[in-house]
Amino acid sequence: MATKPVNFEELLKDAPKNWGRWGADDEIGALNFLTNAEVLRGVRAVKSGKVFMLGVPLAQPNGDPLYPSRSQPIRTMAMDKGFYLSGLAKPFPGGMEYADDVIVMYLQGTTQYDALGHVWYGDKLYNGYDSRTTIGGLQKCSIEPIANHGIVGRGILLDIARLKGKPHLDANEAVTIADLEAAAKRQGCAIEQHDILLIRTGWLKRFYDGGFAKLFPNGEMKEPGLAYSLELVKWFHRMEIPSIGTDTIASEQTNHEESGTMIPLHAALLHDQGVIFNEIDWLEDLADDCAKDGQYTFLFVGAPLKVVNGAGSPVNPVAIK
């Protein structure tokens, strides 16, 4: 275990990058792998037409699962029957009335996508853009180019919790390449180049079963998930994985003890390779159905909002089997 955090520039000096791979103006990273042919490969995975919506409920009265520094989304009515009863509003000609509401929230305060400019180190965003371009809004590597492209292709669920025979992984439990490949083998499907990976840890269900105390045991964010290793980072690069989605807030093992760093895969994959991170996915219903019919591949559709200069966006991803 490291006595102090290793600087990411040192930790990742031998790790592969995709900077410049698609030109100096690229802002969508590994989504460049999702060509028309990859969309059709995803379509060919559809067998029954069953649809699974992977977004979590938003603005619940008892709270939503989100990163501790982000506050609960607030939804309030801007127009309802009360306005008419009090005389503050009149029906439209013909008698029609309406309801309207407003929501105030962190763009990453629910099931969401990270923009490629969401994190950085060494004062450079993905593809070498200056981190000062984030001041006042992301002029480079915002969520908008990702939203304009969409995340559509063949998805594959890797049910690591079922692989390990438990309802959920333990706090800060590591998920390795060996785990990913073992899950695929157990499920009878292979991970293919350009697949969109959905990784189930079972961790999110803890929130709905027991609230924040289960999501953050002892008040600490120690989620299970993909564990940093140079081998894993090279595997992602070799497999040309465009995007990952998980049922956790950070999509990776929170603390990497060997380097003393926090969420190093955000640096190695999102920042260096342009892999798109999709977080807080509800995977329980999809996983149960996959376990029943043995089909773990599907058409995946992710459509974040086109938020100008946004660092992320809410999304309700779709898996179609």
Side-chain angles (χ1 to χ4, degrees):
M1 182 175 178
T3 56
K4 62 179 180 179
V6 177
N7 187 282
F8 282 131
E9 290 172 308
E10 173 63 23
L11 181 68
L12 302 176
K13 62 183 179 182
D14 297 320
K17 284 188 175 183
N18 283 329
W19 292 15
R21 184 169 183 168
W22 297 285
D25 296 329
D26 176 48
E27 297 182 57
I28 64 171
L31 286 190
N32 283 286
F33 295 128
L34 292 181
T35 61
N36 292 351
E38 290 301 325
V39 174
L40 292 175
R41 188 169 69 93
V43 170
R44 289 195 294 272
V46 177
K47 307 300 181 185
S48 65
K50 288 184 285 189
V51 176
F52 296 87
M53 309 304 296
L54 308 182
V56 299
L58 180 61
Q60 299 177 107
N62 294 328
D64 296 345
L66 39 73
Y67 186 68
S69 69
R70 296 174 182 145
S71 58
Q72 164 78 9
I74 301 170
R75 190 199 62 79
T76 186
M77 297 305 296
M79 178 67 73
D80 57 24
K81 184 64 176 181
F83 284 79
Y84 300 100
L85 294 175
S86 65
L88 293 176
K90 294 182 179 180
F92 291 134
M96 182 176 291
E97 302 175 349
Y98 73 101
D100 220 347
D101 49 3
V102 174
I103 192 165
V104 178
M105 64 175 293
Y106 278 85
L107 290 174
Q108 290 159 293
T110 186
T111 305
Q112 54 94 14
Y113 275 103
D114 290 344
L116 288 182
H118 172 52
V119 298
W120 63 88
Y121 65 89
D123 285 333
K124 295 293 183 182
L125 309 183
Y126 166 77
N127 213 27
Y129 294 110
D130 194 315
S131 61
R132 287 174 292 186
T133 59
T134 65
I135 297 173
L138 275 59
Q139 289 92 51
K140 296 293 182 180
C141 292
S142 76
I143 197 66
E144 190 178 12
I146 293 172
N148 284 330
H149 185 280
I151 304 92
V152 183
R154 192 183 94 142
I156 180 171
L157 176 71
L158 298 167
D159 196 339
I160 306 302
R162 268 189 173 83
L163 171 71
K164 299 197 174 186
K166 47 189 177 181
H168 58 78
L169 302 188
D170 299 328
N172 214 49
E173 184 172 351
V175 175
T176 65
I177 297 175
D179 292 327
L180 299 181
E181 293 177 338
K185 183 177 180 180
R186 178 182 180 275
Q187 296 168 183
C189 56
I191 304 170
E192 297 180 0
Q193 199 173 44
H194 303 159
D195 276 350
I196 297 165
L197 307 185
L198 296 186
I199 300 169
R200 177 180 174 263
T201 68
W203 195 253
L204 182 58
K205 188 174 184 297
R206 288 167 55 89
F207 172 81
Y208 293 103
D209 290 342
F212 283 100
K214 293 292 186 180
L215 198 60
F216 306 113
N218 302 316
E220 298 177 314
M221 185 176 174
K222 289 189 175 182
E223 294 185 308
L226 282 174
Y228 168 80
S229 71
L230 184 58
E231 178 189 20
L232 181 132
V233 171
K234 289 182 175 180
W235 181 86
F236 264 80
H237 192 257
R238 183 173 67 254
M239 294 294 291
E240 297 181 343
I241 300 299
S243 179
I244 57 172
T246 70
D247 57 354
T248 65
I249 291 172
S251 282
E252 61 173 300
Q253 180 189 35
T254 305
N255 298 292
H256 184 249
E257 293 184 353
E258 289 81 357
S259 65
T261 61
M262 183 175 177
I263 57 172
L265 289 179
H266 273 65
L269 297 182
L270 188 151
H271 176 270
D272 285 4
Q273 294 187 35
V275 175
I276 308 302
F277 277 49
N278 165 217
E279 296 154 340
I280 321 181
D281 285 344
W282 178 252
L283 300 178
E284 297 301 307
D285 298 330
L286 175 62
D288 287 345
D289 192 76
C290 291
K292 289 176 182 176
D293 68 10
Q295 181 188 341
Y296 285 83
T297 59
F298 39 83
L299 174 65
F300 179 90
V301 180
L305 303 178
K306 297 182 180 182
V307 183
V308 177
N309 302 138
S313 168
V315 66
N316 188 11
V318 186
I320 308 172
K321 293 179 62 178

